[in-house]
């Protein structure tokens, strides 16, 4: 993370050295020898960090630090001094300084301090967004979010909600596909009709067929009465087929025929019955690969995929994590009868760093865990589940100044491909598009890497 640094130092040679080194590290740098000029700049411009020498002509660094804390509390201050006494450090911290650096300055240590200060400021901004979540949150139905990917999703939902077209909702497990389906129904002309949901992976083939299409009395053992099935129960409303990618191959021709003809035949029945429903399906599978591998009928795929909506994973939604965190705190603190008002900054940082493989569902569970455990008004890092508390981000490093750590181009490719596939949530179609290769080539490479069994 880089940022814009204001340096206040009356030693001009020192200023130039700091500027050259920090610019080389990617920071934007402006310097001035005067505290008064620094105040003028701080009133007119925005900075991420103030780096100030404690000994300045006129107003000293401690006094300037107090001014920044009082007038620009959003900007962290790092104080430098050649007199690294305990008393000076305590005075700097009492004045509100974020950090304290002694001279001669170790540029590596200074760069780390400034980077942390920039990150601290960025986190403060995100936490303020969390505090204002109720006022600023954008919603569509029961879906909460204001990140660019969610704004795009809301725009698509609003454009297709009141149409009759079939919709396929894709996305990782726990990302909110069911909420998107419900939002489509609730904002459609069918909203007064039923919204019927079935999970296609939850029932055996014979029972799933009966659930969808109904059955006649005596059609099979235990069929003691007629059952009309979910297509008819959803009459005038919406039928949501969750986990459509798990629909057994044996039932796919019958579903295709029902969609095309808008009629069904109950199990054991001789007559066809018309129905009037809007069909919405959802899956966390890579459906194009499923079609290519003959695991899903191509003609049925195109029937249910007239319009495709992709619900983004939580890790791609930025500060929506904090907005959702606030929502879940309110929900669970009320349920558990606890007074929890928010999230501490270190906790917010942990939530933003963690990749959330279980998406919104996992975040909900984590917040419920933390609210149940906490003894304070704000959730602390110690309240979070272990795997979130101790998570360390895994960075891919493909360059180094140490020749012994350099790797071959083939190894660089392997690492990057596996990273892209992981980031895409295992979706090979998305990963292949990012990598600029076809899915078959990607599949072969993954087999070679041992990521897919032969």
């Amino acid at each position: 993370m880089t940022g814009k640094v204001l340096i206040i130092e009356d030693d001009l040679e020192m200023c130039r050295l700091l500027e050259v080194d920090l610019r080389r590290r990617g920071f934007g740098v402006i310097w001035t020898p005067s505290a008064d000029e620094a105040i003028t700049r701080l009133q007119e411009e925005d900075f991420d960090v103030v780096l100030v020498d404690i000994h300045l002509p006129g107003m000293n660094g401690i006094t300037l630090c107090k001014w920044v804390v009082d007038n620009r509390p959003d900007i962290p201050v790092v104080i430098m001094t050649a007199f690294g006494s305990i008393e000076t450090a305590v005075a700097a911290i009492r004045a509100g300084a974020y950090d304290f650096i002694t001279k001669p300055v170790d540029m590596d240590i200074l760069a780390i301090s400034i980077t942390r200060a920039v990150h601290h400021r960025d986190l403060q901004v995100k936490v303020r967004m969390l505090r204002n979540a109720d006022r600023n949150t954008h919603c569509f139905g029961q879906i909460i979010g204001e990140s660019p990917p969610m704004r795009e999703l809301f725009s698509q939902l609003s454009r297709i909600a009141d149409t009759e077209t079939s919709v396929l909702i894709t996305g990782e497990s726990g990302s909110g596909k069911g909420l998107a389906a419900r939002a489509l129904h609730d904002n459609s002309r069918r909203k007064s009709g039923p919204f019927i949901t079935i999970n296609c992976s939850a029932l055996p083939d014979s029972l799933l067929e009966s659930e969808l299409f109904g059955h006649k009395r005596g059609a099979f053992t235990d069929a003691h009465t007629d059952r009309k099935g979910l297509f008819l129960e959803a009459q005038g409303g919406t039928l949501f087929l969750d986990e459509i990618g798990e629909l057994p191959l044996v039932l796919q021709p019958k579903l295709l025929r029902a969609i095309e003809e808008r009629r069904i035949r109950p199990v054991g029945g001789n007559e066809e019955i018309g129905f009037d429903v809007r069909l919405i399906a959802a899956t966390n599978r890579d459906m194009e690969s499923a079609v290519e591998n003959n695991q899903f009928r191509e003609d049925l795929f195109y029937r249910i995929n007239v319009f495709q909506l992709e619900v983004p994973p939580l890790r791609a939604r930025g500060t929506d994590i904090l907005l959702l965190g606030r929502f879940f705190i309110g929900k669970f603190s009320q349920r558990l009868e606890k007074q929890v008002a928010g999230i501490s900054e270190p906790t917010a940082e942990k939530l933003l760093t963690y990749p959330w493989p279980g998406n919104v569902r996992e975040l909900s569970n984590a917040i419920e865990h933390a609210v149940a455990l906490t003894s304070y008004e704000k959730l602390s890092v110690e309240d979070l589940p272990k795997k979130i508390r101790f998570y360390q981000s895994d960075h891919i490093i493909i360059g180094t100044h140490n020749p012994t750590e350099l790797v071959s181009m083939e190894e660089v490719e392997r690492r990057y491909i596996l990273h892209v596939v992981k980031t895409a949530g295992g979706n090979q179609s998305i990963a292949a598009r990012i990598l600029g290769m076809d899915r078959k080539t990607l599949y072969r490479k993954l087999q070679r890497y041992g990521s897919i069994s032969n």
Side-chain angles (χ1 to χ4, degrees), residues 158-314:
S158 65
R159 292 201 302 269
I160 67 170
D162 207 25
T163 68
E164 291 296 302
T165 187
S166 296
V167 179
L168 177 64
I169 304 173
T170 61
E172 296 177 13
S173 179
S175 58
K177 299 186 293 297
L179 290 179
R182 183 79 211 202
L184 285 174
H185 172 77
D186 290 345
N187 288 274
S188 74
R189 66 192 71 176
R190 294 177 176 270
K191 60 187 175 184
S192 59
F195 178 77
I196 304 295
T197 298
I198 183 169
N199 188 316
C200 297
S201 67
L203 298 172
D205 299 5
S206 57
L207 189 54
L208 180 58
E209 182 179 13
S210 172
E211 284 290 306
L212 287 172
F213 306 112
H215 61 254
K216 289 295 183 180
R217 178 182 177 183
F220 51 84
T221 305
D222 296 329
H224 301 303
T225 60
D226 290 353
R227 176 181 174 83
K228 62 182 181 179
L230 298 185
F231 268 96
L232 297 183
E233 286 185 19
Q235 194 79 290
T238 302
L239 178 59
F240 175 44
L241 304 178
D242 198 9
E243 303 296 347
I244 187 69
E246 309 305 318
L247 185 72
L249 277 168
V250 68
L251 291 184
Q252 292 180 23
K254 190 166 184 177
L255 177 59
L256 174 64
R257 187 171 182 274
I259 295 172
E260 289 179 335
E261 300 187 6
R262 313 297 291 179
R263 302 180 70 81
I264 61 163
R265 178 178 295 174
V267 178
N270 296 318
E271 296 182 1
E272 293 187 338
I273 307 171
F275 64 85
D276 174 30
V277 303
R278 183 187 191 182
L279 192 69
I280 299 176
T283 182
N284 59 9
R285 292 189 65 184
D286 181 351
M287 293 299 288
E288 293 181 9
S289 293
V291 169
E292 285 188 359
N293 296 327
N294 297 316
Q295 296 170 334
F296 200 88
R297 289 179 63 110
E298 184 176 27
D299 45 7
L300 177 58
F301 172 64
Y302 288 119
R303 278 293 179 183
I304 63 174
N305 191 35
V306 177
F307 192 95
Q308 183 171 328
L309 285 173
E310 184 175 354
V311 180
L314 184 57

Side-chain angles (χ1 to χ4, degrees), residues 252-417:
Q252 292 180 23
K254 190 166 184 177
L255 177 59
L256 174 64
R257 187 171 182 274
I259 295 172
E260 289 179 335
E261 300 187 6
R262 313 297 291 179
R263 302 180 70 81
I264 61 163
R265 178 178 295 174
V267 178
N270 296 318
E271 296 182 1
E272 293 187 338
I273 307 171
F275 64 85
D276 174 30
V277 303
R278 183 187 191 182
L279 192 69
I280 299 176
T283 182
N284 59 9
R285 292 189 65 184
D286 181 351
M287 293 299 288
E288 293 181 9
S289 293
V291 169
E292 285 188 359
N293 296 327
N294 297 316
Q295 296 170 334
F296 200 88
R297 289 179 63 110
E298 184 176 27
D299 45 7
L300 177 58
F301 172 64
Y302 288 119
R303 278 293 179 183
I304 63 174
N305 191 35
V306 177
F307 192 95
Q308 183 171 328
L309 285 173
E310 184 175 354
V311 180
L314 184 57
R315 62 181 173 276
R317 294 175 53 182
T319 53
D320 281 356
I321 294 169
L322 301 183
L323 297 180
L324 288 163
R326 180 182 175 90
F327 170 78
F328 290 130
I329 286 172
K331 174 182 175 181
F332 295 121
S333 59
Q334 182 177 11
R335 179 186 298 177
L336 299 172
E337 299 181 347
K338 301 190 76 170
Q339 298 296 320
V340 183
I343 301 173
S344 69
E345 287 184 13
T347 307
E349 183 174 4
K350 283 290 185 182
L351 296 179
L352 290 168
T353 303
Y354 185 68
W356 301 106
N359 291 292
V360 179
R361 187 180 296 128
E362 185 181 11
L363 175 62
S364 173
N365 292 342
I367 297 297
E368 183 176 10
H369 173 102
V371 170
L373 198 63
T374 192
S375 301
Y376 306 102
E377 289 188 355
K378 288 187 176 183
L379 299 184
S380 67
V381 173
E382 289 71 28
D383 298 323
L384 296 173
K386 265 187 182 180
K387 63 179 178 179
I388 300 173
R389 282 205 319 265
F390 298 114
Y391 174 77
Q392 296 292 328
S393 179
D394 57 334
H395 297 285
I396 290 186
I397 302 174
I398 60 174
T400 175
H401 295 295
N402 184 348
T404 64
E405 296 177 357
L406 294 172
V407 298
S408 67
M409 185 61 71
E410 183 179 1
E411 176 62 13
V412 170
E413 180 188 70
R414 186 189 73 83
R415 294 184 189 183
Y416 184 66
I417 287 175

Side-chain angles (χ1 to χ4, degrees), residues 109-128:
I109 293 175
L110 177 61
I112 291 171
S113 176
I114 292 176
T115 299
R116 287 176 177 166
V118 172
H119 186 75
H120 173 75
R121 189 193 187 211
D122 181 62
L123 190 59
Q124 284 186 315
V125 171
K126 291 172 180 175
V127 171
R128 280 199 299 274

